[in-house]
Amino acid sequence: MSTMSLKNKVAIVTGSSSGIGAAIAVKFSSEGAKIVLVGRNQTKLNAVAVKCSDPLVIRAELANDDDVKRILDETIQKFGKLDILVNNAGISLCGSLFTGDLMRSLDELFKINFRAIVYLTKLAAPYLKQTKGNIINISSISGQRVSPILGLMMYSSLKAALDHFSKHAALELSPHGVRLNVISPGPVKTDILKNTDKLETTNTHHISWDEFASTTALHRVSEPEEIAEFAFFLVSEKAKGITGSVVVHDNGKFLKN
Ligand SMILES: NC(=O)c1ccc[n+]([C@@H]2O[C@H](COP(=O)([O-])OP(=O)(O)OC[C@H]3O[C@@H](n4cnc5c(N)ncnc54)[C@H](OP(=O)(O)O)[C@@H]3O)[C@@H](O)[C@H]2O)c1
């Protein structure tokens, strides 16, 4: 039975049209939060919106500063406050020294997987101060170890940058009673592989979920709901002593090979 422990909390979840973000939005809504769904694909946003209680749906391109600003503006206009920011949206795009398009992967990943998070965090900080709120950033275990998939060079490097930025931000927010934590998943069954295929010009990186499962110590891939449960714990009162942590939820991928 739900405890409704997020009753009347206002939560922005980026990338909530799909995968991990969608699962977090649905979980937080079931716990009583007022949800701001953010994504680009209207059909997918609609499918998640019907699983949440009266959400605010914002179509936004996170590469665009004006769109990022609009997310905050529309949230405050509708709900008057912000309690939780989940920086989840992300893409994967391959490139290494000898494979794919390294500079394109750097530029595209930088915009979505790093810059947009920094900007949204900066814009949200004054509001989170008022509510003694919470931030969750979704990173990846690949930010902590070099992946055998060489094409993940920039994806991994920018997740490492996100981990470090998050610790700085957590320190600066802590005197204001705002907590910030990072979740670093291993493989999670979402649309990310399909979406990566759409972005790739080379087909060097195709790997199935079964193959990913074999790269983990537990030989499994998580469902998005597992990450959502973890995010719920981290924003709850039970985690009141946790900030600046990069917490791993990876089926033991870090331990393997
Ligand atoms: N799945 C995994 O195995 C795994 C492992 C470790 C870490 N992660 C991280 O988990 C996070 C979520 O990934 P996922 O697996 O749930 O992927 P996903 O199913 O592909 O979902 C990605 C989400 O990000 C949004 N998004 C992407 N680019 C955007 C842009 N330019 N502007 C606005 N929204 C954008 C997408 O929105 P639209 O589709 O509406 O455009 C979608 O809602 C990412 O940060 C990823 O790096 C995933």
Side-chain angles (χ1 to χ4, degrees):
M1 206 178 67
S2 167
T3 53
M4 294 294 273
S5 57
L6 299 182
K7 199 164 175 359
N8 293 326
K9 303 275 189 204
V10 176
I12 295 174
V13 185
T14 69
S16 41
S17 51
S18 181
I20 294 170
I24 292 174
V26 171
K27 172 69 185 170
F28 285 13
S29 178
S30 77
E31 294 290 341
K34 295 171 179 162
I35 303 297
V36 182
L37 296 173
V38 183
R40 294 170 302 180
N41 184 318
Q42 189 69 59
T43 311
K44 290 172 82 174
L45 281 168
N46 291 345
V48 181
V50 296
K51 297 182 191 165
C52 298
S53 170
D54 201 16
L56 171 61
V57 180
I58 301 179
R59 276 188 78 185
E61 166 53 69
L62 290 169
N64 179 341
D65 279 1
D66 289 341
D67 276 23
V68 174
K69 196 168 170 303
R70 192 164 48 81
I71 296 168
L72 245 296
D73 291 348
E74 288 187 15
T75 300
I76 299 304
Q77 212 171 16
K78 166 132 179 149
F79 296 118
K81 65 164 186 162
L82 178 67
D83 300 276
I84 300 168
L85 169 64
V86 182
N87 286 307
N88 160 80
I91 54 170
S92 170
L93 189 56
C94 282
S96 67
L97 303 182
F98 299 128
T99 68
D101 186 339
L102 180 63
M103 299 319 287
R104 175 173 172 251
S105 79
L106 170 60
D107 292 343
E108 296 303 316
L109 290 167
F110 179 76
K111 283 188 265 183
I112 311 304
N113 291 16
F114 192 70
R115 192 179 189 285
I117 298 175
V118 172
Y119 190 36
L120 198 50
T121 302
K122 178 185 161 55
L123 293 175
Y127 297 103
L128 292 168
K129 255 167 81 167
Q130 290 171 12
T131 56
K132 298 194 187 307
N134 254 282
I135 300 179
I136 300 287
N137 291 340
I138 304 297
S139 181
S140 165
I141 192 61
S142 66
Q144 297 185 39
R145 68 195 297 278
V146 173
S147 171
I149 305 171
L150 294 176
L152 290 182
M153 182 178 267
M154 294 327 306
Y155 178 85
S156 302
S157 301
L158 289 167
K159 290 295 191 185
L162 174 61
D163 292 354
H164 208 68
F165 162 73
S166 299
K167 291 176 195 174
H168 267 280
L171 180 63
E172 191 171 2
L173 290 166
S174 58
H176 305 289
V178 178
R179 297 188 296 109
L180 182 157
N181 290 292
V182 178
I183 300 178
S184 290
V188 184
K189 211 172 282 166
T190 68
D191 289 344
I192 198 167
L193 297 183
K194 221 188 297 169
N195 290 334
T196 304
D197 285 347
K198 271 188 240 157
L199 290 170
E200 297 284 12
T201 49
T202 54
N203 234 349
T204 48
H205 165 59
H206 202 78
I207 171 166
S208 68
W209 290 119
D210 283 347
E211 287 168 271
F212 269 119
S214 69
T215 69
T216 71
L218 292 176
H219 280 267
R220 68 185 294 278
V221 171
S222 285
E223 295 297 330
E225 290 72 22
E226 295 170 51
I227 307 301
E229 288 294 337
F230 206 27
F232 171 58
F233 169 74
L234 286 171
V235 300
S236 78
E237 267 300 291
K238 289 181 183 168
K240 63 186 169 200
I242 307 179
T243 197
S245 284
V246 179
V247 289
V248 173
H249 187 300
D250 73 337
N251 292 302
K253 183 162 173 62
F254 185 84
L255 306 172
K256 196 82 191 290
N257 60 53

